[in-house]
Amino acid sequence: MTKRAVIYSRFSTDMQSERSIEDQVALCNAYALREGLSVVGTFDDRARSGGSIIGRDGLMRLMDAARDNQFDVLVIEALDRLSRDMEDLAGLHKRLTFLGIEIRAVHEGQVNTMLVGLRGIIGQLYREDNAHKIRRGMAGLVRDGLSGGGLTYGYRTVAGEKGKRVIMVEEAAIVRRVFTEYLAGQSPRAIAHRLNAEHVPAPRGRTWNASTINGSVQRGNGILRNPIYVGEIIWNRVRMVKDPDTGRRLSRVNPESEWHRAAAPDLAIVPHALYDAVQTHKADRATVSPTKQRRPTRILSGLLRCAACGGGLVVYGGQRGGRNRVRCSRARESGSCPAPHTFWLDTIERTVLGTLRSELTAPDAIAEYVRVYHEERKRLAAGATSDRQRLQRRYDELSREIDRLVDGIAKGHGDPAVLGPRSTEANEERKAIAARIADMGAPVNLVALHPAVIERYHQQISILDISLAAGIANGDQKAAEALRDLVESVTVRPGQNGPGSIEIEISGRLTALVGEKAYPNGLAASSGLVVAE
């Protein structure tokens, strides 16, 4: 019987010729003819690296066809067309062998485990050696006063001259303005806000924000920290590594001993005196990183959200009459919030805590819910069948698979043309299973509660009451922790009852414990609308 064969071809970068694919296919077709194989399809990946299988749509379609038993033999020019990564090459060989599919390489013959091991090592060494050569070439550019990295704001490339940069007059003026305004006392946040308001194009087409201007001390990026603006190129501050699970490139900071420095006076945009004064000013104003600060100072710290854009609400300005105000952080950082508002913090705290206490001071009702639940659970367990359990397990598996496929499409980890149909297929199967389960008489959707959870709930309410009695303004840390056990976020918007009124939406964990009846009063507060999510 004539064996069915498919051909796979690949070339690595945009700089290579499209003819490479056609040449590989022609070579493989000639091989298949000599071997008496019937070619039933071709798959290819153009301008795709062999360093990872992620993002290679042609290879993914090939593997789908393999799982559907559409061919018996895979024909390739050489094993490095499949992959130059040891792990990926071995995995592809393992899966295709399991499916009963032969791999034949024109230049190497029928592929076996020994050949996969040898070619995997050779391919990976070739790839790593290429990376070393590229880095060596980039280091040579830096020694000559040229750029070895990406394009920095304020400069443009020169066609046909690798590593050559020249100053862009318009952007250079913005760079000098940022340095001058910062030294004059303007904060990076205020500078970013003004640039956005004036519609000044930001680096890479994004909006200006404080981090664009501040940058990172270790990475030497950001407008105020980049030494290229005084004519000094520093290359190799960071290295790029590829996440083996996602295929994404991530940057890691290198030790200073590995940095390469070179003078490039023709690229200087700001005077040394101005640059040095800014660095001194930044050093004098250095503070502890927010990630290293201690626990929240206010009971709702980190929980407040702006209804207009979803940004966090942070303390704004100084106290007025002993009261703090909060405002959207995005409005402060970049001016990008479409409808920023300012709220009194103590009004929000009183509304949230007062409403929660009115709703949660009936723990006996919670205990009753638990008692009823356990009785219902026993009744349902007695009538459950193995067939129903099997269907439910399959339903859960499909749900997880659909979530992974949708997440993969959203994050760009795979080809929507491949993942989308599979997601649709899985969803149709899930619907069919759901219908069968419904025909059996679906049980009430109740969540299991351990007695320890209820005890913890009683403790939380007790702590919350103590906090209210002591006064919200004390910022009791135990109360803050207890509140975070119940509340995930508090979204605030202006109310409909005139100036100073607010509406609050609470997203919390209590509903997950006892269902929609967790809040018997509907969370209606006198000073606003509160909704349990």
Side-chain angles (χ1 to χ4, degrees), residues 294 361 399 407:
R294 306 186 77 176
T361 49
S399 297
D407 188 60

Side-chain angles (χ1 to χ4, degrees), residues 244-400:
D245 293 323
T246 65
R248 292 187 174 182
R249 284 160 52 84
L250 306 174
S251 62
R252 302 278 173 81
V253 178
N254 289 325
E256 189 171 352
S257 60
E258 297 181 9
W259 297 359
H260 294 250
R261 301 173 183 267
D266 57 313
L267 298 181
I269 290 178
V270 300
H272 260 290
L274 177 59
Y275 181 85
D276 292 341
V278 166
Q279 305 316 306
T280 301
H281 188 52
K282 291 193 74 62
D284 292 341
R285 298 184 60 181
T287 57
V288 178
S289 168
T291 59
K292 297 180 181 178
Q293 292 176 358
R294 306 186 77 176
R295 290 184 288 182
T297 56
R298 304 288 303 199
I299 199 165
L300 296 178
S301 294
L303 300 179
L304 301 179
R305 297 286 178 268
C306 170
C309 68
L313 296 182
V314 295
V315 174
Y316 172 71
Q319 288 190 344
R320 288 191 177 184
R323 303 175 72 191
N324 285 312
R325 297 172 296 163
V326 292
R327 185 175 173 83
C328 177
S329 60
R330 291 182 183 175
R332 295 183 58 192
E333 292 289 340
S334 63
S336 58
C337 179
H341 293 279
T342 303
F343 307 96
W344 291 111
L345 179 57
D346 57 353
T347 300
I348 298 173
E349 290 175 335
R350 282 198 304 270
T351 303
V352 172
L353 294 177
T355 302
L356 284 175
R357 187 172 74 167
S358 69
E359 294 289 337
L360 306 179
T361 49
D364 290 342
I366 305 298
E368 179 65 11
Y369 297 157
V370 177
R371 184 189 64 79
V372 174
Y373 163 75
H374 283 300
E375 291 180 358
E376 180 70 358
R377 186 183 183 197
K378 291 177 182 178
R379 185 186 68 81
L380 293 173
T385 64
S386 60
D387 186 47
R388 178 189 181 84
Q389 293 171 350
R390 178 183 60 79
L391 289 173
Q392 187 63 53
R393 282 196 299 271
R394 179 57 181 162
Y395 181 93
D396 294 340
E397 291 172 358
L398 289 167
S399 297
R400 290 192 293 271

